[in-house]
Amino acid sequence: MFDYLESKIHDECGVFAVYSRDEDMDVVADTYYGLYALQHRGQESCGIAVNEDGVIRSHKDLGLVNEVFTPEVIRRLGKGQMALGHCRYAPYKDRTRSSSQPMLVRHIKGTMALAFNGQLTNAVELREELELKGGIFHTTSDIEVIAYAITRARLNAGSIQEAVETAVDRLTGAYSLVVMSPRKIVAARDPQGIRPLCLGKIGGSDVIASESCAIHAAGGEFVRDIAPGEIVVIDEEGVHSIAHACGQKTGLCVFEYVYFARPDSVVDGASVHRARRRAGAFLALEHPVQADVVIGAPDSGLDAALGYAQQSGIPY
């Protein structure tokens, strides 16, 4: 019997990308620190792709960030001007190295690396359509479907951002997508803004991350959230915004505030720590109890427990 929950629900991942204009900046190290800060979003596998003068090389494997990226692996990745990282949560049946990200694609128009956090609701239909046109899939991950869609669009598009614009029109569901080409980084957020994605800076360099905590961990500063439906292009001239599918009804997944995000992150303008404390306070108002002590569990429940204790007067 097909187990839908085991096979399909796997959208808690973290993405991080950096475009450097500083020759002394170590983009691999910054990406490592960013992924380490996003480790709570995925512990099954991780990977980093680094772009040095248009040549993209990568390393990915099963395991935690500090296990996969040993000093020797980081040394082999070398230096570069851009890097893209990903840490992945996956169901047990899909915990394979081949399904790890970033995915590296070499096609007639060049090379690109892709990583995303989310879940496509039309992945099965798109996959079947691509297979009937000769597409060969090696993984069960939605990122391979996205890679095919962008690659096919790139054949007739004048740039990678045009290809991404065309491809995302065919995607439905939740996604925060980052694509690294030989010269650009392109990030896209789904029109409903279900998954978070934000923009930051490290000195004169630009950063894309799932959460603001990753930008701070890499020594940068948070600039703003990427809007639902927005496509952001980062190149040698700076940051460019394309309001591709903005203006639709939005709805961030409530579990970002309840469970997924780190408490020191700011998601869509709201502090996760404050949101959890307020949730605990509202719970105390709506469901008062006679108790001796308030305890939070797991760690994501600590802030809510503190809010409950403060509102109810029960010791924390």
Side-chain angles (χ1 to χ4, degrees):
M1 181 178 179
F2 181 71
D3 189 338
Y4 182 82
L5 289 176
E6 178 66 16
S7 302
K8 296 303 292 180
I9 304 300
H10 50 84
D11 58 356
E12 183 194 353
C13 301
V15 296
F16 187 91
V18 56
Y19 187 109
S20 173
R21 298 177 185 84
D22 182 355
E23 294 182 358
D24 296 326
M25 184 176 180
D26 190 340
V27 295
V28 176
D30 289 328
T31 304
Y32 174 91
Y33 292 128
L35 291 184
Y36 196 87
L38 294 171
Q39 186 76 88
H40 60 286
R41 300 189 69 89
Q43 296 85 39
E44 274 72 40
S45 67
C46 57
I48 295 176
V50 59
N51 184 336
E52 183 176 13
D53 297 325
V55 178
I56 302 176
R57 52 185 177 273
S58 67
H59 179 82
K60 59 183 181 179
D61 209 340
L62 301 177
L64 300 175
V65 173
N66 65 325
E67 296 171 344
V68 172
F69 291 101
T70 63
E72 175 59 24
V73 170
I74 292 176
R75 186 191 65 80
R76 288 203 308 268
L77 281 173
K79 303 290 184 180
Q81 296 79 42
M82 290 180 268
L84 170 60
H86 184 271
C87 55
R88 184 173 188 250
Y89 167 78
Y92 178 76
K93 295 177 182 178
D94 196 30
R95 294 175 185 175
T96 60
R97 185 180 183 278
S98 60
S99 293
S100 303
Q101 299 178 40
M103 174 168 282
L104 194 61
V105 178
R106 294 182 173 89
H107 57 94
I108 194 169
K109 289 268 186 105
T111 305
M112 64 178 179
L114 305 92
F116 99 124
N117 165 36
Q119 178 74 48
L120 300 183
T121 57
N122 65 336
V124 174
E125 293 83 356
L126 288 176
R127 187 186 183 102
E128 182 178 351
E129 176 189 324
L130 291 164
E131 287 179 330
L132 290 173
K133 292 180 179 179
I136 299 173
F137 288 82
H138 300 280
T139 74
T140 59
S141 175
D142 290 355
I143 190 63
E144 195 169 11
V145 175
I146 296 173
Y148 259 113
I150 294 176
T151 300
R152 285 183 177 273
R154 182 68 180 91
L155 298 178
N156 299 312
S159 64
I160 185 64
Q161 60 263 36
E162 290 179 20
V164 172
E165 282 190 76
T166 301
V168 296
D169 281 340
R170 307 206 60 204
L171 308 180
T172 60
Y175 59 84
S176 289
L177 171 69
V178 184
V179 180
M180 181 173 68
S181 74
R183 295 180 179 84
K184 300 173 184 177
I185 289 177
V186 182
R189 191 178 179 191
D190 71 82
Q192 284 72 47
I194 299 171
R195 287 282 162 245
L197 197 63
C198 60
L199 179 68
K201 294 191 78 69
I202 303 176
S205 302
D206 298 298
V207 183
I208 297 288
S210 288
E211 294 182 37
S212 60
C213 67
I215 298 172
H216 295 145
E221 59 182 34
F222 170 76
V223 174
R224 66 175 178 89
D225 293 292
I226 292 175
E230 182 182 9
I231 296 174
V232 170
V233 182
I234 305 175
D235 57 23
E236 61 182 3
E237 297 178 358
V239 178
H240 317 279
S241 175
I242 303 171
H244 180 68
C246 300
Q248 299 187 28
K249 182 179 180 181
T250 62
L252 178 76
C253 176
V254 70
F255 266 84
E256 292 293 342
Y257 290 122
V258 174
Y259 181 70
F260 289 160
R262 233 172 68 164
D264 55 336
S265 286
V266 174
V267 178
D268 281 354
S271 162
V272 175
H273 167 71
R274 291 185 62 187
R276 289 178 183 169
R277 286 184 62 173
R278 290 188 67 190
F282 283 128
L283 183 63
L285 290 171
E286 295 178 5
H287 298 279
V289 297
Q290 296 294 324
D292 298 317
V293 67
V294 179
I295 300 173
D299 284 352
S300 57
L302 298 180
D303 294 330
L306 183 60
Y308 192 103
Q310 290 175 333
Q311 181 65 44
S312 65
I314 302 171
Y316 173 74

